[in-house]
Amino acid sequence: MDKLVVVVVDDDESVRESLPDLLKEFGFAVLTFSSAEEFLASGSTARTSCLVLDIAMPGMNGLDLQKELKGRGDKIPIIFITGKRDESIRKRVLEQGAVDILFKPFSDTALRQALHKAMGSD
Amino acid sequence: MAAQSEGSAEEIKGLRRCINDLVSMLALPAAWMGGEPLRIMGNLLDALLSMLSLDFLYVRLKNTADAATGEMVRISPTWAVKPGPQEMGERLRTSVDDDFQESPLLLSNFFVEGDITLVPLRLGLHDDLGIIIAGSRRSDFPQQTERLLLNVAANEAAVWLREASLLSEERRVSSELDRRVAQRTADLAAINDELQREIAERKSAEEKFLREETELKRSQAHKAAILDSSLDCIVAMDHQGCITEFNPAAERVFGYKRENVLGKPLAHVLIPPSLRQQHHLGFAHHLATGESRVLGKRLEMTALCADGREIPVEIAIARIQQDGPPSFTGYLRDITARKQNEDALLEAHTRLAQSEERWRSVFESSAIGVALADLEGRFIATNPVFQKMLGYTEQEFEQLHFLDITVEEDRDLNSALVADLLDGKRREFEIEKQYRRKNGSLVSVRNSVSVVSGSDRVPRFLLALSEDVTRRHLAEAALDKARSELAHVARVTALSALTASIAHEVNQPLSGIVTNASTCLRMLDADPPNVEGARETARRTIRDGNRASDVITRLRALFGKKSTPFELFDLNEAAQEVIALSVSELQRNRVTLQSNLATDLPSVLGDRIQVQQVILNLIRNGLDAMSTVEDRQRELLVMTERDEGGGARLSVTDSGVGIDPQIEEKLFEPFHTTKGDGMGIGLSVSRSIMESHQGRLWAARNEGPGATFSFVLPSSTNT
């Protein structure tokens, strides 16, 4: 059976380099995009099982993308990752339907638990 | 004949004695010359009494002035009794007839026992001189020789009495004459005096007359002169109301010629038609009753001039009563000018009152306290603001000295400054001090004090304009506190923003490190281990570690230095550090930053961190200004250059929305913001920081889009 596809959207190149390796170690297929616009333009939404999404990005940020997807009726589970520890952001994104939010730097365990939560069972 | 011869011898003897006595008797008058009748008679009686053997001799003289002295008596020493002349005279008058028809007369027991013969000897041809009565108790009395002697003596006495009487009369007449002459002389003297007086009076009267005449002439001349030269108009009229005098002044004022108005009714000349009826009634009433409402008073009336003008005049009318009917003289003065002066004066008074009122209203309603004090420092007047400020009433202030309400620590300085004012060393002074209110609380004031130079009526006084600066002080304190709080908030905010930025900067590589390390472990734990993958992730871990290290290095550069408030530093270097820290933020906002740093920039003195905060603020400000810009490049230019004044200038130019003219003035005010998430303190704090560095921060619109914010710091060599 095909691996579940996890999409990473982050403007930080180092994240785009490191995170996919870890996700692959977890056994997921991984697609990376450096911006929300790029992701939306890729047409990959349909096969995305989980979206690992940075919040602060030039142009459309993570929150905008969540809103956009929700507006389209797309129910892709979203795990936010952010370098800025802000509890108000956590509350806001969870209310908007996000699965979880991880503050950088986060442990692989925390990521794995979030992914489990996003996709029911592993 | 013997008897005859014997008798003859005796007779001859007697005759001889008688002749001797006669000779003696006749010799007597030599002593009587000029004598008094009583002395003559006394002398005669003494001689007869001793010549003849008589008992008494009594004499009564007539026509003598004094009856009491008209009687005289000589008594023989043989008598035991010595009756006085009046007693003798009385007894004789009751005993014998006055005219002694019988002679000699025999009386018995006349004062003495026995018979006594009385012989009267009449004095004068008609007994008109008096009578001598001789008495003797001898029986042969009177013998022939005794009769002869007595008669001779009586004749002799009568001659001399008459002589004496004549002399006396002559003396009397002479005396009377003298008296009369004296009287007449006195009368004449009195008459003379009276005459002299009359002459003097007449002379005086003549002189008086002359003087009066001169006076009259002078008076007339004087009157004429007065009439001619008087500044007052003098107009006289007779009892019929016709003009009898009209002096040159009257001619000048009223414009009539004297010769044209003399004899004309005054009413038709000087009195305006509207007042003539009143004049006629008043004049007629006066002539009939003597009553007048105008005589002897100073009145203001209206007079008619030749040209028809009516002018205000002051008039005093005197009635001159002479023998004939009365005449009247009026003294008139044109008071047009005075009226105008009075009007002007009234207007000036009104203006003065208005001015006074205005000044009082300024004084009363002034927004600041006004206090006037005498040179001693005692309050004269205070305005409501001053009273309210200190809680005393105006009356209470009048009992107070300014030092009474000045707090102890300000008194010496204040007194010294006032003394300088009074000595003329200062024209005015300003002092910030504290007053103690009536309720004991303190109020801070700023006083401007000066000496107001007095006038004739108002002595010099002190004027204090007193502003309550308690609120200003509180406001300033509050502002300082707010600024300080703002600066703190700004610092915290800037720091937290910086921290967030730094956290972001650090968390990114940290996140990479954690992820890569985790991946690395997983790869090594795999079976078989993915060594190549692990190596790659380990390499990336090192790279991210270095990235984190760079961030820390930059942070150390930013915060690690000892925070001395002012230090010499290179503005270019400070700016570069801020730019480096802002790179990721710039990238995220898709802003390209260009820096153009001058190489000849002078080093500046200041708080490096604060200046960097300003630079950071300006960069963020530029980013914010361009956040909505999509139609053009988001560009930020950071430029340093040497200022014309020798200082160092830094400018941050953006291509953003620019400055809305409506908010331009508010740009640097605290809490003014155009940003939804900003606190609006960045530019305000930045400007405060620049000002604390003796620098300047300003904003300007670009020629193209956007705005330029610049600051300039003085060169360290200039400070």
Side-chain angles (χ1 to χ4, degrees):
Chain A
M1 128 185 203
D2 285 342
K3 290 180 180 174
L4 293 171
V5 175
V6 174
V7 171
V8 175
V9 180
D10 196 323
D11 64 326
D12 186 8
E13 194 186 346
S14 69
V15 172
R16 291 203 306 275
E17 278 178 2
S18 57
L19 199 55
D21 284 352
L22 185 60
L23 289 169
K24 284 174 193 163
E25 289 297 317
F26 288 156
F28 297 109
V30 182
L31 289 173
T32 60
F33 299 95
S34 64
S35 72
E37 291 91 338
E38 205 179 312
F39 166 64
L40 287 174
S42 69
S44 313
T45 54
R47 54 193 177 114
T48 304
S49 302
C50 183
L51 187 59
V52 177
L53 185 56
D54 188 18
I55 292 178
M57 290 185 292
M60 181 185 273
N61 65 24
L63 301 177
D64 296 336
L65 182 56
Q66 180 189 31
K67 203 173 173 182
E68 173 67 24
L69 293 174
K70 196 176 177 180
R72 296 184 184 187
D74 219 318
K75 292 180 179 169
I76 304 171
I78 300 174
I79 297 168
F80 281 104
I81 54 172
T82 177
K84 198 172 180 179
R85 180 170 288 272
D86 188 338
E87 292 300 322
S88 68
I89 293 284
R90 172 197 288 275
K91 191 182 175 199
R92 185 172 153 196
V93 297
L94 293 182
E95 277 173 3
Q96 291 294 319
V99 174
D100 207 346
I101 180 168
L102 303 174
F103 296 109
K104 295 174 187 177
F106 48 83
S107 69
D108 55 346
T109 318
L111 179 61
R112 185 159 192 165
Q113 283 173 351
L115 288 167
H116 273 295
K117 205 168 25 170
M119 290 174 279
S121 60
D122 194 346
Chain B
M1 258 308 272
Q4 256 188 328
S5 69
E6 200 175 69
S8 294
E10 200 59 40
E11 198 177 332
I12 290 165
K13 195 180 171 185
L15 282 173
R16 219 177 251 152
R17 199 170 57 224
C18 181
I19 288 165
N20 284 340
D21 289 342
L22 274 174
V23 170
S24 301
M25 189 73 68
L26 289 171
L28 279 176
W32 296 347
M33 195 73 121
E36 291 288 323
L38 283 179
R39 197 167 66 83
I40 292 168
M41 287 315 298
N43 216 320
L44 182 66
L45 292 186
D46 286 341
L48 284 176
L49 193 65
S50 62
M51 279 180 215
L52 310 175
S53 296
L54 296 177
D55 279 275
F56 72 91
L57 279 165
Y58 165 83
V59 65
R60 181 192 299 153
L61 298 178
K62 290 182 181 172
N63 297 326
T64 53
D66 188 352
T69 54
E71 289 173 306
M72 193 176 291
V73 72
R74 292 287 185 274
I75 304 296
S76 164
T78 60
W79 280 27
V81 295
K82 303 280 184 191
Q86 288 172 358
E87 191 182 355
M88 179 74 79
E90 192 65 27
R91 186 81 170 263
L92 286 172
R93 269 191 291 276
T94 55
S95 307
V96 292
D97 295 332
D98 269 352
D99 51 4
F100 282 91
Q101 292 301 320
E102 291 175 57
S103 182
L105 183 68
L106 190 70
L107 285 179
S108 297
N109 297 325
F110 184 76
F111 291 106
V112 289
E113 284 183 6
D115 296 334
I116 190 164
T117 306
L118 303 184
V119 176
L121 300 161
R122 290 183 168 73
L123 298 174
L125 293 178
H126 306 285
D127 306 340
D128 55 333
L129 293 177
I131 188 169
I132 295 173
I133 297 170
S136 175
R137 283 177 291 179
R138 280 185 296 113
S139 55
D140 60 349
F141 184 76
Q143 294 174 17
Q144 280 272 308
T145 52
E146 287 175 329
R147 265 189 202 278
L148 177 70
L149 272 172
L150 287 170
N151 285 330
V152 169
N155 286 336
E156 201 68 14
V159 171
W160 283 104
L161 277 175
R162 193 161 301 281
E163 193 84 0
S165 176
L166 280 175
L167 182 67
S168 170
E169 180 62 16
E170 192 180 280
R171 279 186 184 159
R172 197 189 59 75
V173 167
S174 169
S175 159
E176 178 64 20
L177 192 64
D178 281 352
R179 193 186 62 75
R180 286 196 185 170
V181 167
Q183 178 68 41
R184 182 65 186 148
T185 306
D187 288 351
L188 281 173
I191 288 165
N192 189 40
D193 284 352
E194 180 67 13
L195 273 174
Q196 291 294 336
R197 199 179 59 72
E198 276 179 19
I199 288 166
E201 272 180 9
R202 183 160 299 179
K203 194 174 175 189
S204 160
E206 279 173 2
E207 280 175 358
K208 190 179 171 200
F209 177 73
L210 272 174
R211 208 165 53 236
E212 278 174 354
E213 201 174 50
T214 313
E215 178 65 19
L216 189 64
K217 279 181 186 162
R218 202 182 61 76
S219 170
Q220 279 168 346
H222 191 57
K223 184 186 161 200
I226 287 174
L227 279 174
D228 288 349
S229 65
S230 173
L231 290 175
D232 282 344
C233 308
I234 301 174
V235 177
M237 69 174 187
D238 59 20
H239 66 288
Q240 292 176 316
C242 293
I243 295 172
T244 57
E245 183 54 73
F246 204 83
N247 79 336
E251 290 183 316
R252 274 198 305 278
V253 170
F254 301 112
Y256 300 101
K257 282 277 152 213
R258 182 171 186 271
E259 57 267 30
N260 295 340
V261 295
L262 283 183
K264 296 238 175 90
L266 178 94
H268 292 165
V269 175
L270 284 180
I271 296 180
S274 60
L275 299 173
R276 276 177 201 161
Q277 183 66 17
Q278 193 188 340
H279 166 76
H280 286 309
L281 288 173
F283 190 49
H285 180 75
H286 171 69
L287 289 177
T289 65
E291 292 172 8
S292 173
R293 284 181 299 184
V294 298
L295 281 182
K297 292 178 190 162
R298 199 170 271 264
L299 302 166
E300 285 186 13
M301 287 184 170
T302 304
L304 182 64
C305 295
D307 58 9
R309 279 184 306 124
E310 295 186 5
I311 60 170
V313 292
E314 188 180 69
I315 179 167
I317 302 171
R319 175 184 159 129
I320 315 240
Q321 183 73 62
Q322 289 164 336
D323 296 339
S327 64
F328 303 87
T329 303
Y331 302 88
L332 298 90
R333 188 173 294 176
D334 177 4
I335 56 170
T336 309
R338 195 175 82 192
K339 280 276 180 198
Q340 285 167 352
N341 282 344
E342 279 173 2
D343 289 348
L345 200 62
L346 191 67
E347 201 189 322
H349 265 292
T350 309
R351 277 205 305 273
L352 196 63
Q354 285 171 344
S355 169
E356 159 83 20
E357 177 123 6
R358 270 198 297 275
W359 280 111
R360 176 139 288 273
S361 131
V362 166
F363 179 68
E364 294 288 340
S365 61
S366 164
I368 64 170
V370 183
L372 313 184
D374 63 23
L375 298 184
E376 301 280 311
R378 303 206 162 273
F379 288 107
I380 302 167
T382 49
N383 78 338
V385 172
F386 195 74
Q387 291 156 18
K388 195 177 168 195
M389 187 162 80
L390 287 154
Y392 289 103
T393 64
E394 179 154 28
Q395 289 73 29
E396 286 170 332
F397 267 121
E398 284 166 9
Q399 307 300 319
L400 288 173
H401 191 279
F402 79 90
L403 290 179
D404 294 339
I405 56 168
T406 301
V407 294
E408 180 94 26
E409 52 267 36
D410 290 333
R411 285 180 193 164
D412 289 346
L413 173 64
N414 205 348
S415 296
L417 288 170
V418 169
D420 282 356
L421 270 193
L422 298 181
D423 291 347
K425 291 181 190 163
R426 295 167 180 274
R427 295 168 61 89
E428 58 185 11
F429 69 82
E430 290 199 347
I431 181 172
E432 288 212 7
K433 64 170 184 176
Q434 284 190 306
Y435 279 138
R436 191 171 294 282
R437 291 193 182 95
K438 191 182 180 185
N439 66 12
S441 62
L442 296 176
V443 53
S444 296
V445 294
R446 180 180 183 79
N447 279 6
S448 297
V449 185
S450 52
V451 173
V452 178
S453 42
S455 64
D456 295 344
R457 285 159 297 162
V458 184
R460 289 202 305 161
F461 62 88
L462 296 171
L463 167 67
L465 303 178
S466 189
E467 187 188 1
D468 181 353
V469 291
T470 308
R471 274 192 192 171
R472 204 178 75 193
H473 276 183
L474 287 176
E476 279 173 0
L479 194 63
D480 280 350
K481 187 157 173 270
R483 278 206 189 113
S484 138
E485 280 171 2
L486 273 176
H488 177 69
V489 166
R491 209 158 179 139
V492 168
T493 307
L495 270 177
S496 82
L498 208 57
T499 307
S501 181
I502 290 162
H504 191 74
E505 293 292 318
V506 176
N507 282 343
Q508 291 291 47
L510 281 181
S511 187
I513 289 166
V514 172
T515 304
N516 285 321
S518 302
T519 309
C520 182
L521 281 176
R522 284 184 180 275
M523 285 176 172
L524 291 175
D525 287 346
D527 186 20
N530 181 356
V531 177
E532 190 54 36
R535 188 176 284 124
E536 176 58 27
T537 55
R539 203 166 47 243
R540 288 203 299 256
T541 302
I542 293 165
R543 187 199 63 192
D544 288 347
N546 286 337
R547 267 179 66 187
S549 176
D550 286 349
V551 171
I552 300 301
T553 304
R554 289 207 299 274
L555 281 176
R556 186 173 290 133
L558 200 55
F559 295 115
K561 286 183 179 168
K562 208 174 174 185
S563 180
T564 51
F566 280 82
E567 63 182 324
L568 266 180
F569 67 92
D570 181 356
L571 187 60
N572 282 343
E573 198 176 286
Q576 278 167 329
E577 285 172 5
V578 177
I579 291 166
L581 273 174
S582 306
V583 167
S584 65
E585 202 168 2
L586 290 165
Q587 284 177 351
R588 268 201 304 284
N589 285 285
R590 282 175 287 158
V591 170
T592 56
L593 184 143
Q594 194 187 341
S595 62
N596 186 356
L597 307 179
T599 53
D600 61 344
L601 205 62
S603 54
V604 293
L605 187 68
D607 186 338
R608 194 169 192 268
I609 302 281
Q610 284 191 354
V611 173
Q612 285 183 311
Q613 278 183 3
V614 174
I615 298 169
L616 189 65
N617 268 334
L618 296 187
I619 289 173
R620 291 219 166 148
N621 206 56
L623 293 184
D624 291 334
M626 294 186 289
S627 63
T628 57
V629 170
E630 299 291 349
D631 60 345
R632 57 183 179 266
Q633 195 72 31
R634 299 177 177 180
E635 288 178 321
L636 202 62
L637 169 64
V638 175
M639 191 167 76
T640 60
E641 59 190 316
R642 179 184 275 270
D643 188 63
E644 300 89 25
R649 183 163 69 190
L650 185 145
S651 308
V652 177
T653 304
D654 65 59
S655 57
V657 293
I659 302 166
D660 184 345
Q662 290 185 331
I663 59 152
E664 192 169 3
E665 290 177 0
K666 298 180 181 172
L667 271 179
F668 295 94
E669 287 179 10
F671 303 113
H672 172 77
T673 181
T674 55
K675 305 170 206 167
D677 58 347
M679 286 186 68
I681 54 173
L683 284 175
S684 155
V685 170
S686 296
R687 174 167 273 187
S688 297
I689 290 172
M690 278 303 126
E691 285 171 355
S692 75
H693 282 75
Q694 281 80 48
R696 200 160 57 84
L697 172 64
W698 70 97
R701 274 193 286 276
N702 294 341
E703 287 189 8
T708 298
F709 285 79
S710 310
F711 67 76
V712 61
L713 286 170
S715 148
S716 63
T717 54
N718 289 353
T719 55

